[in-house]
Amino acid sequence: MLSIQTLIRTACEKYTSLLILTVATIIALKLITLAPPLLLGTIIDTLQGDRNPASSTLLALTTGLIVAGCIHAIITPLQLHALSKLVQSIIMNASIEWITELIGKEFSLFNSWRIGHFIKSIERGITAHEQLLTFIVTIALPVLLEFIVVGGAFIYIGDSEIFLSMTAFGIIYLAVTHQIIKWRRRHIDAVNEQEDELSAHLYNTLNAGKTIKLESAIPTALHPLNAAFGRYADAAVTTASSGGLLSAAKILFVSLSTGGLLYWGVLDQLSGHPSISVGQLVAIFSIAGSYLLSISTLTEGYRVLDQFLADQRQFQGLLSLPDFDRSNRLAWVDFQRSSVLELGPCEVAGTEPLRLSIKRPLAFVQGQSVAVTGPSGAGKTTFLEVLAGLDASKRDQLSIDSVPVSLLSGQAHLDALRYCPQQPRFLEGSFEQSVLFGGSASPILSRAIRQLELDEIVTTRQVSENASNISGGEAKRLSLLRLINKPGKFNMFDEPSASIEPRLTTPLWDLLFDVFAGQGLICVTHDVDHLHRFDRVIVMHDGAIVEDGPWRDLIDRPAIRLLVDEIRMQN
Ligand SMILES: Nc1ncnc2c1ncn2[C@@H]1O[C@H](COP(=O)(O)OP(=O)(O)OP(=O)(O)O)[C@@H](O)[C@H]1O
């Protein structure tokens, strides 16, 4: 997570010329805004002081006033362009960095994240940084510059006491505002929490939108969402009302300070020996007014800063979650030609019975093909994910050629243990992008594409978002290509033949046995008709391994026959 200092350092080091241009345009704007009140004051004094003022002088002063307005109009878009370019460049790079970091988190987190909630937190984290940078460059820095410029102007006019009194009053105002902002923080947190909740409900509801409509269940489905809208509205009202106090403080500050200033000016004029002319009074009043407004804008910036810190804390929480690839792991290991994957006794807890309970050590030889079967909910996917090293808490018990997987770098781990989940997932775009995720095609791929009858899709189509333009069976077949294209030492498929039409089931298994002959092939499958083709079959029930051996040795056992009947019925 980027701290405020890092944001500022990035602006100074990487975007120096943009920063200089932004600051220069801001200074120019501040200086040019001083011109109209000073010129106006001079015009008034010239008109008042001289019975026959030179018309050329007055016309020159008036022209100066108009020219100042024109310069102001020219610099403003330039300043906005430089500012937004600076802020957006920094935020874009930071956002890319954050998302890369989040994608690199542990596998298990991807199951637990509530996507809508998560998206909202990221969005708010990014917006907070954007607002903070804008605040620093457009408010904090200009107010500092204005302090110097206005201070100089008042000293020049000879009224430094007025300037000091205004500044002291501004400091009191900021202190009061600080107390209000501190008191308001819990309301802000509450509204943020409700906003995240709302986003989570919205995502879930829209995700299930098609089914909700099919079941005519809109009122039921919208109930939690509507309740979330209600809670958000309540929290938003409280926050907005508490924000009213800040507005009241601002109005009080501006009216008391400008009123006080005018009071002093009027008394000065009435004294008989005024220390300043009417024109100077107009100029002072105008410059001081904009200075006081800038001080009140500072509080708005402070409110944003406070919000930023809250969003930063939440975002920091996400970024501090454990990474999959930690440093000091072995980037490269000289594995044996035919490796052995071993898993020690371990358990994965869940609802009773245990999701997985491995009582004895297991070994998988690379040349072996292994099927994992059992009824639905037996723990097959849980087991396969442990074997693929996706469960961080079991990586110490998992080893390849006696090297614990926990010691391997992320890349070495994922190159050795390849895993194809049950649910096909794609990126959007061309075949290489969407299916191979940017990888290049190996020589074996064209044969696999032909055998799985995917030629037409691969050559003519682009996979759309959510793969909505291809069928479920096509998606499943396409998803298998990744491991075929880039096999590892052990290749694990979760239900490779699920959703595949019966006509293509045998060619699919033929392909897998052919491509992965002599390499580790481990498949979770309900496809009992093809179990005899595997060297070894592991049968699971209630999270435990109940049988393990060649299918021909297992098939005649009465318990296995019963399980096979159960699996066939579920198919
Ligand atoms: N994230 C989770 N938290 C808690 N329990 C879970 C979780 N995921 C799955 N389970 C439970 O763990 C058990 C094993 O699930 P698993 O997905 O491993 O079964 P499976 O044999 O692959 O089932 P299927 O053949 O239906 O895909 C099931 O009872 C399931 O309800």
Side-chain angles (χ1 to χ4, degrees), residues 205-455:
T205 311
L206 293 179
N207 216 13
K210 208 163 148 184
T211 316
I212 291 168
K213 276 163 70 93
L214 284 170
E215 295 305 314
S216 307
I218 294 174
T220 316
L222 290 190
H223 185 71
L225 185 64
N226 294 345
F229 269 122
R231 286 193 298 274
Y232 174 76
D234 291 344
V237 168
T238 315
T239 309
S241 312
S242 65
L245 272 182
L246 281 176
S247 306
K250 178 176 167 175
I251 295 166
L252 259 182
F253 167 68
V254 173
S255 41
L256 285 181
S257 49
T258 48
L261 188 63
L262 195 60
Y263 201 75
W264 165 84
V266 170
L267 284 181
D268 184 60
Q269 292 299 313
L270 293 176
S271 66
H273 305 286
S275 60
I276 53 170
S277 66
V278 175
Q280 280 176 324
L281 179 62
V282 170
I284 287 175
F285 194 75
S286 182
I287 296 169
S290 96
Y291 176 61
L292 292 168
L293 268 180
S294 295
I295 292 180
S296 69
T297 316
L298 246 190
T299 41
E300 174 59 16
Y302 176 46
R303 192 193 60 72
V304 172
L305 181 71
D306 198 64
Q307 171 71 48
F308 163 80
L309 293 173
D311 290 339
Q312 195 194 34
R313 274 193 298 278
Q314 195 176 8
F315 201 28
Q316 185 70 57
L318 287 178
L319 290 170
S320 61
L321 290 168
D323 295 321
F324 167 62
D325 198 7
R326 290 168 214 156
S327 54
N328 71 30
R329 291 212 199 151
L330 305 169
W332 187 81
V333 181
D334 192 9
F335 290 124
Q336 293 168 18
R337 236 172 104 77
S338 180
S339 292
V340 179
L341 176 68
E342 288 171 287
L343 177 67
C346 59
E347 288 180 349
V348 176
T351 44
E352 281 300 315
L354 290 168
R355 282 177 68 192
L356 185 69
S357 169
I358 303 292
K359 300 276 185 225
R360 282 195 305 272
L362 292 168
F364 299 86
V365 184
Q366 207 185 330
Q368 213 176 34
S369 59
V370 183
V372 180
T373 195
S376 181
K380 304 180 294 294
T381 298
T382 310
F383 179 48
L384 200 66
E385 293 210 342
V386 167
L387 283 181
L390 303 195
D391 186 334
S393 63
K394 306 293 169 288
R395 270 184 217 136
D396 283 338
Q397 285 100 302
L398 186 71
S399 61
I400 308 173
D401 299 338
S402 305
V403 179
V405 173
S406 55
L407 293 185
L408 300 180
S409 71
Q411 198 55 58
H413 168 169
L414 297 176
D415 284 347
L417 302 177
R418 300 278 284 136
Y419 176 64
C420 178
Q422 195 169 350
Q423 286 297 327
R425 290 276 183 264
F426 301 94
L427 299 175
E428 234 180 310
S430 66
F431 171 71
E432 284 77 13
Q433 169 76 2
S434 65
V435 179
L436 301 185
F437 285 22
S440 48
S442 71
I444 190 88
L445 199 65
S446 47
R447 201 187 94 208
I449 290 170
R450 231 181 8 260
Q451 212 159 324
L452 294 176
E453 299 187 6
L454 291 166
D455 311 65

Side-chain angles (χ1 to χ4, degrees), residues 1-3 6-7 10 14-15 86-104 118-119 121-131 133 308 315 318-319:
M1 183 72 172
L2 294 186
S3 63
T6 319
L7 285 175
T10 312
K14 283 182 77 179
Y15 303 99
L86 176 73
V87 171
Q88 291 309 325
S89 305
I90 296 172
I91 295 299
M92 180 193 72
N93 287 326
S95 305
I96 292 169
E97 204 180 288
W98 291 325
I99 301 302
T100 311
E101 224 179 295
L102 288 170
I103 294 278
F118 186 73
I119 291 175
S121 302
I122 295 178
E123 207 179 87
R124 270 223 314 273
I126 292 175
T127 309
H129 283 80
E130 207 175 318
Q131 288 192 348
L133 255 186
F308 163 80
F315 201 28
L318 287 178
L319 290 170

